[in-house]
Amino acid sequence: MAWTTIHKQPLPSESTPNLIDEEAMRTPFSWETARTELAGLPEGGLNIAYEAVDRQVQNGLGETIALRWLGKNGERREYSYAELASLSDRFANLLERLGIDKGDRICVLTGRIPELHISALGTLKAGAIFCPLFSAFGPEPLRTRLVKSRARLLVTTSALYQRKIQPQRAQLPDLEHVLLVDSSDGDGTHSLRALLEAESSQRPPPTTLPEDRALLHFTSGTTGTPKGAVHVHDAVTAHRLTGRWALDLRPGDIYWCTADPGWVTGVSYGIIAPLVNGVTLVVDEAEFNARRWYSILEQEKVNVWYTAPTAIRMLMKAGIDTARGYDLSALRFMASVGEPLNPEAVFWGLEALGRPFHDTWWQTETGAIMIANTRSQDIHPGSMGRPLPGIEAAIVRRRPEGGVDLLEPGEEGELALRVGWPSMFRDYLEDEAHYRQCFAADWYLSGDLATRDSDGYFWFLGRIDDVIKTSGHLIGPFEVENVLMEHPAVAETGMIGKPDEFAGQIVKVFVALKSGYAPSDALRRELLSFARTRLGPTVAPRELEFMSDLPKTRSGKIMRRLLRAQELGQSLGDLSTLENQEEQEP
Ligand code: 6R9
């Protein structure tokens, strides 16, 4: 099939898109005006959670279902906007009672359960910083993040606590309080439910300002431990508008974001943007299953669905006939994020589900969707779309002496965004140097390689650094390699992303052994299981290959790009050039 443009085709039953004419919106648009559309707080205050729930109650949505939770064992719970408002008030009161101050970090390590949403909203109301931790992380990534965030309080479940936190609690001196969602008071832990019941559900409005810190999301780079990207309350200005424009959300919609709130998409578009837009959020606790997912779309009458290429590829694998067995007529809009969305997937959506998937591009650092195929524009399958109003994107080349050159349509370069949108990260926690490296003049440099065509559509080409995406999760080589280096047999190791039909990429490591150790299947299995126990299934390598020596630069850095080239059977090119390039990387 030739990949052609999919022209915008309004379905008969649907109303006009929220964003009708993007081009016309660009010139009159200003973020200052967008901010005035929020309720705000006295004396110029702003608070994400207040906008997400309390404001909706004031607007008459108090009895509307804000969150519909589908438990993995068939349980169902619903929370109205009024209930979420009062439960999050209780949580904020609890934080204050426990002596949590504004700006303190609160980590949440749970599966997809309503207590996560309540803790997030309550943390934001109290003016503390919400930091989600992915429940499939192993002890090692969790410890790194808890230490780096200096979290004073953790909300988790008893199983996760026992397996992953309790054994290393002595190494977490800042962690004063551990609240368990499913257990009574225990050794060094407290029952969240009991504590919440003792709190008042009344509370004065929050006292945060737009530039107060609100969210902390860890993200990986090539070097060093994960970086903590910090966002402020003003990010809600972007969450609200991008939810309206890129996801076409409107009050009364049933909306399902399949991303886990352990990652940025699950917070920006799994909690904040939908609630601020007054929709009913569907939260599914269970893991992916094609029939379960179609049943949810059908039975919950989902109108807007935000998912990821890996999941779409799994649905494609389950076959078009599986899809056709369900009534998906409520579905108005489908979007995707996190990895390249191949044209096949866009067309498959059209064929199997009756609508195309709309690709969107953004990052932990951008906090909200920047580039999208919106409902009001033609889709160019394979392209990430065009910048939303208020966003200026360009393809640039960094000048060695500082600043950037703007490149022409068709040229390949780094995707950059002109600074100034409200959900832009304000900081990498205690890592000013890495933060500064992300900017040149007034451009934020994304680390993604892309091109723009003459119609203004952006096309993803790859990452500039060695970070990879597996099933939509960003993994940095440092964390993986560091853990393997702790094994007594390992002399050196390098991680790459190996292309995979479903996950996009899988984590593969190359290992050179210390003298006295010989490659064997038993040792390979031992190393893989060693890494898996420490890193957890998402981050751990799926493949391991022994090598006698790993290619290195003159200064001794592993050249992952050569490992990648070898894996893909590509020519190794001019080694001296590669070495030089590697030496220049920040
Ligand atoms: C939201 C999120 C960001 C990186 C980004 C890029 C990749 C995201 C994409 C995409 C191709 C898309 N990425 N969207 N690549 N097409 N539509 O995923 O944040 O986890 O920080 O990852 O993901 O490489 O730089 P994060």
Side-chain angles (χ1 to χ4, degrees), residues 5-8 373-380 386 457:
T5 304
I6 300 178
H7 297 290
K8 49 191 176 211
N373 290 278
T374 62
R375 250 189 81 198
S376 60
Q377 72 189 17
D378 296 340
I379 297 176
H380 290 193
R386 292 196 287 191
Y457 284 76

Side-chain angles (χ1 to χ4, degrees), residues 109-362:
L109 169 68
T110 67
R112 292 179 290 277
I113 54 174
E115 287 81 357
L116 187 161
H117 301 72
I118 293 162
S119 307
L121 295 167
T123 299
L124 294 168
K125 281 185 174 179
I129 301 176
F130 172 67
C131 174
L133 300 173
F134 186 42
S135 57
F137 277 150
E140 193 66 31
L142 291 173
R143 187 173 48 79
T144 312
R145 286 158 178 79
L146 283 162
V147 166
K148 210 161 177 179
S149 66
R150 285 195 272 116
R152 289 183 62 197
L153 187 143
L154 171 72
V155 175
T156 186
T157 65
S158 39
L160 289 167
Y161 180 70
Q162 293 308 334
R163 270 194 295 140
K164 303 184 182 184
I165 305 296
Q166 203 273 336
Q168 48 182 354
R169 186 136 180 212
Q171 296 167 59
L172 303 168
D174 294 308
L175 188 59
E176 292 163 51
H177 309 283
V178 174
L179 311 185
L180 301 182
V181 300
D182 55 349
S183 163
S184 48
D185 289 0
D187 186 16
T189 62
H190 292 282
S191 155
L192 175 66
R193 185 168 305 166
L195 288 171
L196 285 183
E197 274 167 17
E199 291 300 332
S200 159
S201 60
Q202 302 297 312
R203 197 183 150 76
T207 56
T208 48
L209 295 170
E211 283 300 311
D212 282 349
R213 284 144 189 257
L215 303 165
L216 171 62
H217 287 291
F218 281 98
T219 184
S220 298
T222 303
T223 53
T225 50
K227 296 169 284 184
V230 179
H231 295 276
V232 297
H233 281 274
D234 197 17
V236 69
T237 309
H239 292 141
R240 174 172 167 276
L241 266 189
T242 54
R244 267 172 67 83
W245 286 348
L247 301 181
D248 205 47
L249 296 177
R250 50 191 77 164
D253 272 348
I254 311 285
Y255 164 77
W256 185 23
C257 169
T258 61
D260 192 286
W263 302 83
V264 73
T265 305
V267 173
S268 292
Y269 296 96
I271 305 179
I272 303 169
L275 295 179
V276 178
N277 280 292
V279 311
T280 295
L281 181 59
V282 172
V283 175
D284 182 29
E285 188 189 21
E287 293 310 317
F288 175 86
N289 172 292
R291 288 187 187 279
R292 182 179 172 97
W293 277 33
Y294 288 131
S295 301
I296 291 175
L297 291 171
E298 179 183 72
Q299 283 166 21
E300 307 307 328
K301 300 192 169 44
V302 172
N303 305 120
V304 178
W305 187 33
Y306 198 24
T307 189
T310 296
I312 299 168
R313 289 189 287 264
M314 301 294 281
L315 292 175
M316 290 167 75
K317 185 183 172 204
I320 214 158
D321 291 340
T322 313
R324 292 207 172 126
Y326 296 84
D327 172 7
L328 306 181
S329 53
L331 205 51
R332 183 178 76 239
F333 189 76
M334 311 194 303
S336 163
V337 67
E339 309 157 63
L341 181 69
N342 37 329
E344 291 88 339
V346 178
F347 282 99
W348 184 85
L350 203 54
E351 206 185 335
L353 311 173
R355 307 125 190 93
F357 285 101
H358 296 73
D359 196 11
T360 65
W361 177 93
W362 59 291

Side-chain angles (χ1 to χ4, degrees), residues 265 338-340 359-364 384 448 460 463 469:
T265 305
E339 309 157 63
D359 196 11
T360 65
W361 177 93
W362 59 291
Q363 302 180 304
T364 302
M384 306 186 287
D448 278 3
F460 179 82
R463 294 278 311 186
K469 275 270 168 134

Side-chain angles (χ1 to χ4, degrees), residues 37-80:
E37 291 165 11
L38 296 166
L41 290 162
E43 295 172 36
L46 187 66
N47 184 277
I48 295 176
Y50 184 82
E51 296 296 330
V53 288
D54 297 49
R55 184 194 190 195
Q56 308 296 14
V57 175
Q58 287 161 16
N59 286 350
L61 291 183
E63 299 313 309
T64 302
I65 300 304
L67 197 167
R68 182 181 295 160
W69 178 70
L70 312 174
K72 58 182 172 211
N73 300 319
E75 210 184 326
R76 238 178 122 86
R77 277 198 256 157
E78 290 190 334
Y79 296 81
S80 66

